[in-house]
Amino acid sequence: MTDQQPDSTHFGFKTVKQTEKVSLVANVFHSVAAKYDLMNDVMSMGIHRLWKRFTIDCSGVRPGHQVLDLAGGTGDITALFSKRVGPTGKVILADINESMLNVGRDKLRDLGLVNNIEFVQANAEALPFADDSFDIISIGFGLRNVTDKDAALRSMYRVLKPGGRLLVLEFSKPEYQWLSKVYDLYSFKLLPAIGGLVANDKESYQYLAESIRMHPDQDTLKQMMETAGFEHVSYHNLTGGIVALHKGYKF
């Protein structure tokens, strides 16, 4: 890993200026937005839907809850939360990327999910919400794309209600060496090829594979959440650690 300068960060395996990363990531997601759902199904063989349902099951969500689905993208997790919070609750789908937000809005409206969902374009590092606003915050497959993850975690902590919980669903480090080798082969050989074939965008999926490798491992992310103020932080490995669900509380 290349040593970073104070004003630099990682964009995949490249080192870039912090001020450049937001626009570089934005370009990736503008590019992939239209085929994002299709690619998720192809890349994970549909398993991403099970990961997201498990996240909801671990959330403790109840009717009437106020939920923030951060980096909510095309709205899969928002849709699941919407059905659980009911007419007295609310789910805000927030994403920094306008293209992803538009795809999510159209999809959820097509599903008839409109009454308890709001859409907000927001940067996770500086959330535009009042302190103590949400019972639950989820961020699914989005934290690794944030430039300053520590700032984002502090921002999430600020807007979470006392007694609320944060759920971070993200790619992580496989538990077994053999699985790591298979996963590397898949990520760096097969995944970009699929991206080129299905989405006509090999480069964006090369970045997404690299961004997964640069993301903190399970224990490092747990420590980062604790440093941000979260308590009783734990994680659950899914699919051999290819994905992990971290959970933390604000008391």
Side-chain angles (χ1 to χ4, degrees):
M1 186 184 300
T2 305
D3 291 337
Q4 284 182 244
Q5 299 299 315
D7 62 344
S8 67
T9 188
H10 291 290
F11 176 72
F13 290 163
K14 300 175 184 176
T15 299
V16 299
K17 291 182 179 179
Q18 289 184 356
T19 53
E20 295 176 344
K21 181 168 179 175
V22 171
S23 62
L24 290 170
V25 172
N27 289 336
V28 168
F29 284 94
H30 286 314
S31 179
V32 304
K35 294 287 184 69
Y36 191 75
D37 284 340
L38 174 61
M39 280 296 297
N40 277 348
D41 282 331
V42 172
M43 289 187 302
S44 72
M45 294 174 286
I47 298 174
H48 74 99
R49 299 181 185 277
L50 300 179
W51 297 332
K52 292 168 181 174
R53 289 193 193 112
F54 181 78
T55 300
I56 303 299
D57 290 342
C58 291
S59 70
V61 64
R62 298 194 301 272
H65 269 172
Q66 306 292 302
V67 178
L68 173 62
D69 181 19
L70 191 55
T74 58
D76 284 350
I77 292 175
T78 292
L80 296 171
F81 272 127
S82 172
K83 295 170 184 176
R84 299 282 189 101
V85 302
T88 60
K90 182 170 68 176
V91 185
I92 293 179
L93 191 166
D95 202 292
I96 195 172
N97 188 276
E98 184 179 9
S99 296
M100 295 289 284
L101 206 58
N102 288 337
V103 171
R105 182 188 292 112
D106 291 345
K107 184 171 87 175
L108 293 173
R109 286 177 177 172
D110 287 345
L111 292 172
L113 299 173
V114 294
N115 293 328
N116 62 359
I117 298 174
E118 294 182 11
F119 301 88
V120 176
Q121 188 170 3
N123 187 334
E125 297 173 26
L127 293 170
F129 307 109
D131 295 358
D132 307 332
S133 292
F134 299 100
D135 298 287
I136 299 164
I137 299 175
S138 67
I139 178 166
F141 305 111
L143 185 60
R144 73 182 189 280
N145 297 307
V146 174
T147 302
D148 189 339
K149 297 174 181 60
D150 294 311
L153 289 169
R154 290 193 300 269
S155 188
M156 292 177 222
Y157 184 85
R158 179 184 64 78
V159 303
L160 193 64
K161 292 180 182 179
R165 71 183 78 183
L166 168 67
L167 300 128
V168 181
L169 181 67
E170 189 55 89
F171 292 106
S172 201
K173 184 178 179 180
E175 297 177 88
Y176 312 107
Q177 187 173 8
W178 68 266
L179 184 57
S180 291
K181 293 179 180 179
V182 172
Y183 190 42
D184 280 345
L185 182 64
Y186 171 79
S187 298
F188 295 111
K189 298 296 184 183
L190 193 56
L191 178 55
I194 294 173
L197 185 65
V198 176
N200 195 30
D201 191 351
K202 180 178 180 180
E203 289 77 14
S204 290
Y205 285 92
Q206 179 72 31
Y207 158 73
L208 292 173
E210 293 175 3
S211 71
I212 292 168
R213 294 306 182 276
M214 300 308 296
H215 186 67
D217 65 18
Q218 288 92 325
D219 289 321
T220 302
L221 180 54
K222 179 176 182 287
Q223 292 169 5
M224 291 169 64
M225 290 173 65
E226 290 169 343
T227 299
F230 292 96
E231 299 181 53
H232 296 308
V233 179
S234 61
Y235 62 82
H236 190 101
N237 284 323
L238 303 170
T239 316
I242 287 174
V243 166
L245 175 65
H246 282 70
K247 181 168 61 175
Y249 296 83
K250 175 179 177 178
F251 294 122

